[in-house]
Amino acid sequence: MDRAQASITAIETAVGLLLVFGVLFAFSLGVPGAEDNRAQAQLDVYATDVTTLLSNESPRHQDQTRLAEVAASPEAFDREADELDRRIEQLLPENVMFRVETRHGTVGHPLPGDVPTGEATVLTTNGEVTLRVWYA
Amino acid sequence: MRAQAELPALAVAFVLLTSTVVAGVVVANGALTAAERPADEQRLATSLSDRLVADDAPHTARENVLDEDALDTLDEAAIRELYNVPEGTEARVTLDGETLVETASVTGTTVERVVLVERRSTELVRPDFDRSRNVLLPRRAANATVTIDAQEGGTIEQVYANDRLVLANDGGLEGTFTVSLSSFETTTLRFEGTGVLEAESVQIEYEPPETTRAILRVNVDG
């Protein structure tokens, strides 16, 4: 019996090379996620900056700071919500949208589902206030 | 008859495999390094910006509020010494597009911070005490300098800032005093004493701060 035999070595080499080329190809495409991380970090920094500024700002009427005032009571919230909206709009860059959540209500745009969002929470004397920001 | 691996084929196979693996590792290393560099620069830029807007930074009035007068002294030496940017790392700091400091041409990663720039203006109030002994200071400030030069006919014995006693002297106040005020509410100063107060008796000087929002961009090349 004289059958030609495929060289098993050649086949093993081919399979091995295929495996290594596959991994090489994946790496040559680049490691993902760098862009997204940068956007996420920048948004977190925006939110932290704005909450820092607001928590050190004088209130319009009473209470210790502007953020504490808006979280004080439902009446205070209704009274201060528009002004807070305007002030945050003034502070954040133009292409950034925001949402403020307090115990008595929320201010700003509805949260989008799938974009990176930055967040900062401040504990005031009247409860927690959370600011979320994202790129428009 | 057993199948036998061919020796030359094996040798060629080893060489091919080894060289492919080496090439693979080189490419992988290159890709990982390229991905790490922006993250490192991002960290450097974020920590430099944190130091620039910190409460105890030399050029800020409080956290995230820059002092406009102090910004003139923010130069390359300040960046290297006060803010710990080592030689070899280049940085550029701009405020609303205007470059404050640039150590070299920088292309690395940028971090933006939202800040307020505070300007202090001096206001002088000379009340004429026409109908009342109260003086309303229209802008909020942390303190005020009150100069009392009591004229004939009237003395000032106590000074109240929004019902809080800040100055008192039963024999009559005279001279220049600094009183601290609440920066969270508008202050009305009340001058209690005897007689009729003349218009020249009191001069109040205070420095209400004025803030504008700006974007501070910190660009670092590591």
Side-chain angles (χ1 to χ4, degrees):
Chain A
M1 185 173 56
D2 262 341
R3 263 168 64 187
Q5 279 208 324
S7 166
I8 194 68
T9 315
I11 295 177
E12 284 173 355
T13 314
V15 172
L17 278 178
L18 211 62
L19 178 66
V20 177
F21 273 134
V23 176
L24 221 152
F25 181 62
F27 269 119
S28 69
L29 287 178
V31 178
E35 266 307 309
D36 234 15
N37 283 341
R38 206 149 61 83
Q40 175 73 55
Q42 177 67 79
L43 285 172
D44 278 332
V45 155
Y46 279 150
T48 314
D49 278 345
V50 170
T51 48
T52 306
L53 286 174
L54 287 176
S55 54
N56 289 334
E57 241 168 51
S58 327
R60 283 205 308 158
H61 297 96
Q62 54 198 46
D63 234 314
Q64 293 89 337
T65 69
R66 208 191 261 274
L67 279 187
E69 203 184 2
V70 86
S73 67
E75 295 80 32
F77 180 82
D78 289 332
R79 190 184 65 213
E80 295 299 320
D82 283 336
E83 178 63 29
L84 187 69
D85 192 293
R86 239 173 282 134
R87 182 64 181 153
I88 299 183
E89 180 106 23
Q90 208 178 42
L91 287 174
L92 284 172
E94 280 100 39
N95 58 336
V96 178
M97 307 197 5
F98 64 92
R99 181 177 180 77
V100 179
E101 290 162 8
T102 74
R103 215 167 38 181
H104 303 293
T106 62
V107 177
H109 309 267
L111 268 179
D114 51 352
V115 295
T117 315
E119 180 189 320
T121 305
V122 178
L123 183 62
T124 71
T125 50
N126 297 322
E128 267 187 12
V129 176
T130 303
L131 173 68
R132 297 184 203 278
V133 294
W134 61 93
Y135 284 117
Chain B
M1 195 68 179
R2 266 165 54 197
Q4 275 210 326
E6 291 166 20
L7 222 45
L10 196 61
V12 169
F14 270 137
V15 169
L16 269 178
L17 202 59
T18 313
S19 46
T20 314
V21 168
V22 168
V25 169
V26 166
V27 168
N29 198 35
L32 282 174
T33 316
E36 259 173 22
R37 203 153 156 277
D40 280 340
E41 283 174 359
Q42 167 93 5
R43 257 196 302 276
L44 279 173
T46 308
S47 65
L48 176 58
S49 67
D50 278 341
R51 274 176 257 135
L52 280 169
V53 302
D55 193 16
D56 51 3
H59 300 93
T60 61
R62 24 178 210 292
E63 197 172 356
N64 276 80
V65 179
L66 301 175
D67 191 354
E68 193 177 52
D69 299 324
L71 286 181
D72 295 332
T73 67
L74 184 62
D75 55 8
E76 184 169 345
I79 281 281
R80 293 247 180 248
E81 286 154 39
L82 298 172
Y83 294 106
N84 299 330
V85 175
E87 297 290 337
T89 307
E90 309 300 333
R92 182 174 68 215
V93 179
T94 66
L95 190 67
D96 269 351
E98 193 190 305
T99 306
L100 295 175
V101 180
E102 187 169 4
T103 60
S105 182
V106 176
T107 53
T109 327
T110 307
V111 167
E112 285 188 3
R113 304 301 295 250
V114 178
V115 294
L116 293 178
V117 179
E118 186 173 87
R119 213 172 304 125
R120 291 190 165 267
S121 55
T122 309
E123 299 277 323
L124 203 57
V125 176
R126 285 209 186 84
D128 54 7
F129 294 118
D130 209 1
R131 306 255 185 84
S132 77
R133 286 169 163 252
N134 295 355
V135 183
L136 175 71
L137 298 178
R139 312 245 324 262
R140 299 175 190 177
N143 52 42
T145 309
V146 180
T147 308
I148 300 180
D149 183 16
Q151 309 287 321
E152 291 289 330
T155 64
I156 298 173
E157 282 163 21
Q158 288 120 27
V159 181
Y160 291 87
N162 278 359
D163 298 330
R164 189 171 52 95
L165 182 66
V166 290
L167 294 172
N169 185 339
D170 285 332
L173 290 161
E174 188 83 22
T176 309
F177 311 90
T178 307
V179 302
S180 71
L181 309 171
S182 165
S183 48
F184 286 130
E185 50 182 12
T186 328
T187 308
T188 303
L189 291 173
R190 195 170 80 241
F191 298 89
E192 297 280 340
T194 62
V196 177
L197 280 181
E198 296 285 322
E200 314 294 311
S201 310
V202 177
Q203 180 179 289
I204 305 164
E205 200 175 301
Y206 67 116
E207 291 176 7
E210 203 178 289
T211 58
T212 37
R213 182 276 250 170
I215 300 280
L216 184 77
R217 306 186 90 231
V218 177
N219 199 343
V220 169
D221 223 347

